[in-house]
C-alpha cells in the first residue's frame, strides 16, 4: 500500500511538472511573438520538416483539431491518418471538411469513412479553398504552394489574428458543408444502398458514384430511382433530406 501511494504521488508530481512546462512554453512563445513579430510565421520546407511539424501539432492538441482536406496530395496519407487516429483515441474532437473532388479517389474516400468510424466529425463541400490544419484555434499549418509543381513547402502560424481568421474561415465552411456520415441499416437497407446514400449525401457526381460502386450509370440511376420511390421523394434533394431524417446518413 505504501508503494502504491508513493507511485500515485510521483505520478501526480509528474503531471504537475508537465502542465507547468507546457504553461511556461506557451508564455515563452507569447513573449517571443511580442518581442519578435517575425516569429509569428515559420516556414517548413521538405516532406520531413512538414511531417515533423504535423506530429508536433497533433501531439500538443488539447481540445480540437480542424482540417481542410483537398487535392493535390503530395505526401503519403499513412502518417497523418495514424496521427488523427491517435488524436481521436485521446478523446480530442476532430472535425474535417473534405473536397468532393478529392473523395472521387477511392483511397481518399475510404480514408474519410475510416476517420468517421473512429469518431471524426466529417463534412463535404464541392470544393475546399486550401489545405489547412488548425489546432485548438491557436496554431495553424497550411501549404505555401498551390500545386504539386511547387514541391513540399508549408507555413506554421502561431496564435494571432491570422489563426483566429483561419478558424473563422473553417467555421463558415463547416456551416455550409454537408455531413459525411455512416449510413445505418433501416428497413433492410443493403450494404450497397448504405454506401450509395453516403456517396449521394457527399454531393458526388453520378460518374464518380458509379465508379465507386462498380456499376454503370444506367444501373446507378435505376438504384437512385428505386430509393426515391421507397422514400416517396420527387427529387434527389428530397431523397437526401428524407434519408437524413431516417438516420441513413
Amino acid at each position: 500500500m505504501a508503494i502504491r501511494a508513493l507511485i500515485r504521488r510521483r505520478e501526480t508530481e509528474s503531471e504537475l511538472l508537465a502542465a507547468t512546462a507546457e504553461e511556461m512554453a506557451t508564455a515563452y512563445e507569447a513573449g517571443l511573438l511580442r518581442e519578435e513579430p517575425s516569429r509569428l510565421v515559420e516556414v517548413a520546407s521538405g516532406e520531413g520538416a512538414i511531417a515533423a511539424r504535423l506530429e508536433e501539432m497533433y501531439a500538443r492538441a488539447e481540445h480540437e483539431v480542424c482540417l481542410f482536406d483537398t487535392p493535390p496530395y503530395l505526401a503519403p496519407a499513412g502518417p497523418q491518418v495514424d496521427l488523427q487516429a491517435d488524436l481521436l483515441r485521446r478523446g480530442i474532437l476532430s472535425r474535417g471538411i473534405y473536397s468532393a473532388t478529392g473523395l472521387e479517389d477511392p483511397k481518399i474516400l475510404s480514408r474519410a469513412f475510416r476517420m468517421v468510424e473512429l469518431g471524426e466529425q466529417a463534412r463535404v463541400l464541392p470544393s475546399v479553398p486550401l489545405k489547412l490544419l488548425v489546432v485548438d484555434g491557436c496554431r495553424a499549418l497550411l501549404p505555401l504552394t498551390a500545386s504539386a509543381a511547387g514541391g513540399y513547402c508549408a507555413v506554421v502560424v502561431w496564435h494571432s489574428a491570422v489563426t483566429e481568421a483561419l478558424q473563422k474561415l473553417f467555421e463558415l465552411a463547416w456551416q455550409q458543408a454537408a455531413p459525411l456520415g455512416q449510413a445505418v441499416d433501416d428497413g433492410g437497407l443493403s450494404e450497397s444502398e448504405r454506401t450509395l446514400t453516403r456517396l449521394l449525401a457527399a454531393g458526388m457526381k453520378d460518374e464518380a458514384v458509379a465508379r465507386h460502386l462498380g456499376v454503370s450509370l444506367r444501373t446507378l440511376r435505376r438504384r437512385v430511382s428505386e430509393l426515391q420511390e421507397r422514400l416517396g421523394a420527387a427529387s434527389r434533394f428530397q431523397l437526401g433530406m428524407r434519408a437524413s431524417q431516417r438516420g441513413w446518413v
Side-chain angles (χ1 to χ4, degrees):
M1 291 178 63
I3 292 173
R4 289 192 185 122
L6 179 61
I7 291 172
R8 282 195 295 270
R9 189 174 69 189
R10 295 299 187 202
E11 288 176 344
T12 301
E13 290 174 353
S14 296
E15 290 172 359
L16 288 172
L17 283 171
T20 302
E22 186 67 26
E23 291 176 3
M24 291 176 67
T26 301
Y28 178 70
E29 290 170 358
L32 284 177
L33 291 179
R34 285 194 297 271
E35 296 295 326
E36 301 180 52
S38 61
R39 293 179 60 93
L40 174 67
V41 174
E42 176 188 348
V43 177
S45 299
E47 182 180 350
I50 295 174
R53 275 303 183 200
L54 271 175
E55 184 173 355
E56 178 187 355
M57 292 179 70
Y58 274 110
R60 293 182 63 179
E62 296 180 354
H63 309 294
E64 180 184 41
V65 167
C66 299
L67 178 72
F68 275 152
D69 189 292
T70 186
Y73 299 99
L74 303 182
Q80 188 166 357
V81 169
D82 293 339
L83 290 171
Q84 285 180 267
D86 180 66
L87 186 87
L88 292 164
R89 282 191 289 267
R90 287 161 50 203
I92 293 175
L93 177 63
S94 177
R95 291 189 291 160
I97 300 178
Y98 295 84
S99 164
T101 54
L103 294 180
E104 292 180 6
D105 183 333
K107 293 181 180 179
I108 303 302
L109 181 65
S110 177
R111 171 167 65 84
F113 283 155
R114 173 60 178 158
M115 288 299 102
V116 171
E117 291 171 358
L118 290 174
E120 181 184 72
Q121 296 180 23
R123 295 190 179 184
V124 185
L125 282 174
S127 63
V128 172
L130 76 168
K131 291 179 185 293
L132 175 67
L133 175 71
V134 182
V135 176
D136 295 332
C138 62
R139 292 183 295 278
L141 176 71
L142 62 157
L144 286 177
T145 52
S147 68
Y152 296 95
C153 191
V155 62
V156 179
V157 184
W158 300 100
H159 193 193
S160 62
V162 177
T163 54
E164 292 173 3
L166 291 170
Q167 183 69 44
K168 288 179 181 178
L169 173 65
F170 180 88
E171 298 299 342
L172 288 172
W174 183 259
Q175 293 174 13
Q176 299 170 9
L180 177 68
Q182 286 182 271
V184 296
D185 201 345
D186 185 284
L189 210 64
S190 69
E191 181 63 31
S192 63
E193 287 174 327
R194 289 197 295 271
T195 302
L196 174 57
T197 58
R198 287 194 292 183
L199 297 176
L200 292 175
M204 296 179 65
K205 296 179 181 178
D206 284 359
E207 292 78 3
V209 175
R211 188 164 57 250
H212 279 296
L213 296 177
V215 300
S216 66
L217 279 173
R218 182 176 179 180
T219 299
L220 170 68
R221 287 164 182 161
R222 175 177 56 78
R223 291 184 180 179
V224 172
S225 296
E226 290 172 353
L227 279 175
Q228 287 182 217
E229 189 173 339
R230 284 175 64 180
L231 289 177
S235 65
R236 289 196 179 196
F237 177 76
Q238 285 187 355
L239 172 63
M241 291 293 293
R242 294 186 182 184
S244 178
Q245 290 169 356
R246 291 195 178 196
W248 289 6
V249 294

mmCIF file of all heavy atoms in Angstrom, residues 8 12-14 22 33 51 56 67-68 70 90 105 118 153 165 188 201 204 206-207 210 220 225 232:
data_model
loop_
_atom_site.group_PDB
_atom_site.id
_atom_site.type_symbol
_atom_site.label_atom_id
_atom_site.label_comp_id
_atom_site.label_asym_id
_atom_site.label_seq_id
_atom_site.Cartn_x
_atom_site.Cartn_y
_atom_site.Cartn_z
ATOM 1 N N ARG A 8 1.503 6.840 -6.866
ATOM 2 C CA ARG A 8 0.474 7.829 -7.195
ATOM 3 C C ARG A 8 0.984 9.243 -6.978
ATOM 4 O O ARG A 8 0.718 10.155 -7.768
ATOM 5 C CB ARG A 8 -0.787 7.575 -6.360
ATOM 6 C CG ARG A 8 -1.638 6.421 -6.874
ATOM 7 C CD ARG A 8 -3.034 6.461 -6.255
ATOM 8 N NE ARG A 8 -2.974 6.239 -4.811
ATOM 9 C CZ ARG A 8 -3.047 5.046 -4.241
ATOM 10 N NH1 ARG A 8 -3.173 3.964 -4.985
ATOM 11 N NH2 ARG A 8 -3.003 4.923 -2.920
ATOM 12 N N THR A 12 1.386 12.141 -9.805
ATOM 13 C CA THR A 12 0.786 13.478 -9.668
ATOM 14 C C THR A 12 1.833 14.557 -9.854
ATOM 15 O O THR A 12 1.600 15.570 -10.538
ATOM 16 C CB THR A 12 0.125 13.622 -8.285
ATOM 17 O OG1 THR A 12 -0.878 12.618 -8.135
ATOM 18 C CG2 THR A 12 -0.521 14.995 -8.141
ATOM 19 N N GLU A 13 3.006 14.354 -9.258
ATOM 20 C CA GLU A 13 4.084 15.335 -9.401
ATOM 21 C C GLU A 13 4.517 15.451 -10.864
ATOM 22 O O GLU A 13 4.776 16.560 -11.352
ATOM 23 C CB GLU A 13 5.272 14.929 -8.530
ATOM 24 C CG GLU A 13 5.007 15.065 -7.036
ATOM 25 C CD GLU A 13 6.145 14.513 -6.200
ATOM 26 O OE1 GLU A 13 7.068 13.899 -6.789
ATOM 27 O OE2 GLU A 13 6.123 14.691 -4.965
ATOM 28 N N SER A 14 4.595 14.322 -11.551
ATOM 29 C CA SER A 14 4.994 14.337 -12.963
ATOM 30 C C SER A 14 3.972 15.084 -13.815
ATOM 31 O O SER A 14 4.329 15.854 -14.709
ATOM 32 C CB SER A 14 5.157 12.905 -13.480
ATOM 33 O OG SER A 14 6.202 12.246 -12.807
ATOM 34 N N GLU A 22 4.363 23.042 -19.958
ATOM 35 C CA GLU A 22 3.540 23.474 -21.093
ATOM 36 C C GLU A 22 3.146 24.940 -20.936
ATOM 37 O O GLU A 22 3.190 25.714 -21.902
ATOM 38 C CB GLU A 22 2.296 22.589 -21.200
ATOM 39 C CG GLU A 22 1.442 22.844 -22.433
ATOM 40 C CD GLU A 22 2.139 22.468 -23.715
ATOM 41 O OE1 GLU A 22 3.032 21.586 -23.685
ATOM 42 O OE2 GLU A 22 1.815 23.067 -24.755
ATOM 43 N N LEU A 33 6.794 36.305 -29.479
ATOM 44 C CA LEU A 33 5.996 36.902 -30.546
ATOM 45 C C LEU A 33 5.823 38.407 -30.335
ATOM 46 O O LEU A 33 5.791 39.173 -31.292
ATOM 47 C CB LEU A 33 4.629 36.223 -30.629
ATOM 48 C CG LEU A 33 4.627 34.774 -31.131
ATOM 49 C CD1 LEU A 33 3.215 34.225 -31.142
ATOM 50 C CD2 LEU A 33 5.231 34.693 -32.527
ATOM 51 N N ALA A 51 6.311 16.869 -41.954
ATOM 52 C CA ALA A 51 5.841 15.728 -41.165
ATOM 53 C C ALA A 51 6.154 15.916 -39.679
ATOM 54 O O ALA A 51 5.333 15.605 -38.813
ATOM 55 C CB ALA A 51 6.466 14.439 -41.684
ATOM 56 N N GLU A 56 4.191 17.240 -34.201
ATOM 57 C CA GLU A 56 4.261 18.105 -33.020
ATOM 58 C C GLU A 56 2.917 18.763 -32.729
ATOM 59 O O GLU A 56 2.468 18.817 -31.577
ATOM 60 C CB GLU A 56 5.324 19.180 -33.230
ATOM 61 C CG GLU A 56 5.440 20.155 -32.065
ATOM 62 C CD GLU A 56 6.381 21.318 -32.363
ATOM 63 O OE1 GLU A 56 7.018 21.314 -33.434
ATOM 64 O OE2 GLU A 56 6.468 22.219 -31.520
ATOM 65 N N LEU A 67 -9.700 20.527 -39.851
ATOM 66 C CA LEU A 67 -8.913 20.162 -41.024
ATOM 67 C C LEU A 67 -9.679 20.423 -42.309
ATOM 68 O O LEU A 67 -10.846 20.048 -42.433
ATOM 69 C CB LEU A 67 -8.551 18.669 -40.933
ATOM 70 C CG LEU A 67 -7.760 18.048 -42.079
ATOM 71 C CD1 LEU A 67 -6.319 18.542 -42.052
ATOM 72 C CD2 LEU A 67 -7.790 16.526 -41.972
ATOM 73 N N PHE A 68 -9.027 21.082 -43.264
ATOM 74 C CA PHE A 68 -9.482 21.148 -44.653
ATOM 75 C C PHE A 68 -8.698 20.090 -45.425
ATOM 76 O O PHE A 68 -7.464 20.077 -45.380
ATOM 77 C CB PHE A 68 -9.186 22.518 -45.277
ATOM 78 C CG PHE A 68 -10.227 23.574 -45.010
ATOM 79 C CD1 PHE A 68 -9.870 24.907 -44.978
ATOM 80 C CD2 PHE A 68 -11.558 23.242 -44.831
ATOM 81 C CE1 PHE A 68 -10.812 25.902 -44.760
ATOM 82 C CE2 PHE A 68 -12.520 24.227 -44.602
ATOM 83 C CZ PHE A 68 -12.139 25.559 -44.568
ATOM 84 N N THR A 70 -8.094 18.514 -49.222
ATOM 85 C CA THR A 70 -8.345 18.700 -50.649
ATOM 86 C C THR A 70 -7.103 18.337 -51.447
ATOM 87 O O THR A 70 -5.989 18.411 -50.926
ATOM 88 C CB THR A 70 -8.748 20.167 -50.934
ATOM 89 O OG1 THR A 70 -9.115 20.306 -52.307
ATOM 90 C CG2 THR A 70 -7.626 21.140 -50.615
ATOM 91 N N ARG A 90 -7.388 9.714 -27.949
ATOM 92 C CA ARG A 90 -7.146 10.544 -26.767
ATOM 93 C C ARG A 90 -8.379 11.340 -26.367
ATOM 94 O O ARG A 90 -8.373 12.054 -25.365
ATOM 95 C CB ARG A 90 -5.988 11.510 -27.038
ATOM 96 C CG ARG A 90 -4.628 10.833 -27.059
ATOM 97 C CD ARG A 90 -3.594 11.703 -27.770
ATOM 98 N NE ARG A 90 -3.577 13.076 -27.288
ATOM 99 C CZ ARG A 90 -3.113 14.109 -27.992
ATOM 100 N NH1 ARG A 90 -2.621 13.906 -29.209
ATOM 101 N NH2 ARG A 90 -3.125 15.319 -27.481
ATOM 102 N N ASP A 105 -11.479 9.900 -55.420
ATOM 103 C CA ASP A 105 -10.417 8.898 -55.330
ATOM 104 C C ASP A 105 -10.840 7.864 -54.289
ATOM 105 O O ASP A 105 -11.044 8.203 -53.129
ATOM 106 C CB ASP A 105 -9.111 9.578 -54.907
ATOM 107 C CG ASP A 105 -7.932 8.606 -54.861
ATOM 108 O OD1 ASP A 105 -8.162 7.403 -54.647
ATOM 109 O OD2 ASP A 105 -6.788 9.059 -55.015
ATOM 110 N N LEU A 118 -13.858 6.097 -36.655
ATOM 111 C CA LEU A 118 -13.062 6.301 -35.439
ATOM 112 C C LEU A 118 -13.600 7.439 -34.580
ATOM 113 O O LEU A 118 -13.174 7.606 -33.440
ATOM 114 C CB LEU A 118 -11.600 6.578 -35.812
ATOM 115 C CG LEU A 118 -10.823 5.406 -36.391
ATOM 116 C CD1 LEU A 118 -9.444 5.854 -36.860
ATOM 117 C CD2 LEU A 118 -10.686 4.276 -35.377
ATOM 118 N N CYS A 153 6.341 22.614 -49.229
ATOM 119 C CA CYS A 153 6.637 23.865 -48.530
ATOM 120 C C CYS A 153 5.362 24.311 -47.812
ATOM 121 O O CYS A 153 4.307 24.447 -48.436
ATOM 122 C CB CYS A 153 7.102 24.925 -49.523
ATOM 123 S SG CYS A 153 7.791 26.381 -48.740
ATOM 124 N N ALA A 165 -8.571 34.246 -37.763
ATOM 125 C CA ALA A 165 -9.265 34.383 -39.051
ATOM 126 C C ALA A 165 -9.395 33.025 -39.749
ATOM 127 O O ALA A 165 -10.436 32.715 -40.347
ATOM 128 C CB ALA A 165 -8.516 35.365 -39.943
ATOM 129 N N GLY A 188 -34.074 -2.824 -43.754
ATOM 130 C CA GLY A 188 -33.449 -3.796 -44.641
ATOM 131 C C GLY A 188 -32.578 -3.192 -45.710
ATOM 132 O O GLY A 188 -32.407 -3.779 -46.782
ATOM 133 N N ALA A 201 -25.069 11.756 -50.353
ATOM 134 C CA ALA A 201 -25.057 12.820 -49.338
ATOM 135 C C ALA A 201 -23.800 13.659 -49.431
ATOM 136 O O ALA A 201 -23.793 14.833 -49.064
ATOM 137 C CB ALA A 201 -25.186 12.210 -47.948
ATOM 138 N N MET A 204 -21.463 13.818 -54.506
ATOM 139 C CA MET A 204 -20.597 13.358 -55.591
ATOM 140 C C MET A 204 -21.387 13.192 -56.884
ATOM 141 O O MET A 204 -22.580 12.897 -56.877
ATOM 142 C CB MET A 204 -19.926 12.034 -55.193
ATOM 143 C CG MET A 204 -18.997 12.182 -54.007
ATOM 144 S SD MET A 204 -18.214 10.632 -53.511
ATOM 145 C CE MET A 204 -17.209 10.308 -54.949
ATOM 146 N N ASP A 206 -22.605 11.596 -60.538
ATOM 147 C CA ASP A 206 -23.036 10.235 -60.884
ATOM 148 C C ASP A 206 -21.868 9.376 -61.364
ATOM 149 O O ASP A 206 -21.765 8.198 -61.011
ATOM 150 C CB ASP A 206 -24.109 10.282 -61.978
ATOM 151 C CG ASP A 206 -25.461 10.701 -61.424
ATOM 152 O OD1 ASP A 206 -25.557 10.922 -60.205
ATOM 153 O OD2 ASP A 206 -26.417 10.810 -62.217
ATOM 154 N N GLU A 207 -21.012 9.959 -62.177
ATOM 155 C CA GLU A 207 -19.890 9.194 -62.729
ATOM 156 C C GLU A 207 -18.990 8.663 -61.614
ATOM 157 O O GLU A 207 -18.556 7.516 -61.635
ATOM 158 C CB GLU A 207 -19.080 10.044 -63.709
ATOM 159 C CG GLU A 207 -19.807 10.407 -64.996
ATOM 160 C CD GLU A 207 -20.802 11.532 -64.841
ATOM 161 O OE1 GLU A 207 -20.904 12.109 -63.717
ATOM 162 O OE2 GLU A 207 -21.500 11.838 -65.827
ATOM 163 N N ALA A 210 -20.861 5.922 -59.571
ATOM 164 C CA ALA A 210 -20.905 4.667 -60.325
ATOM 165 C C ALA A 210 -19.547 3.975 -60.307
ATOM 166 O O ALA A 210 -19.460 2.743 -60.181
ATOM 167 C CB ALA A 210 -21.347 4.942 -61.763
ATOM 168 N N LEU A 220 -26.810 2.738 -61.845
ATOM 169 C CA LEU A 220 -26.811 3.682 -60.724
ATOM 170 C C LEU A 220 -28.102 4.476 -60.683
ATOM 171 O O LEU A 220 -28.740 4.603 -59.629
ATOM 172 C CB LEU A 220 -25.610 4.626 -60.848
ATOM 173 C CG LEU A 220 -25.625 5.812 -59.871
ATOM 174 C CD1 LEU A 220 -25.428 5.338 -58.435
ATOM 175 C CD2 LEU A 220 -24.593 6.843 -60.244
ATOM 176 N N SER A 225 -33.418 5.847 -58.421
ATOM 177 C CA SER A 225 -34.868 5.956 -58.620
ATOM 178 C C SER A 225 -35.623 5.037 -57.677
ATOM 179 O O SER A 225 -36.671 5.404 -57.127
ATOM 180 C CB SER A 225 -35.229 5.618 -60.073
ATOM 181 O OG SER A 225 -34.659 6.553 -60.968
ATOM 182 N N GLY A 232 -40.614 7.985 -51.296
ATOM 183 C CA GLY A 232 -41.592 8.931 -51.806
ATOM 184 C C GLY A 232 -40.988 10.285 -52.101
ATOM 185 O O GLY A 232 -41.643 11.330 -51.921
#
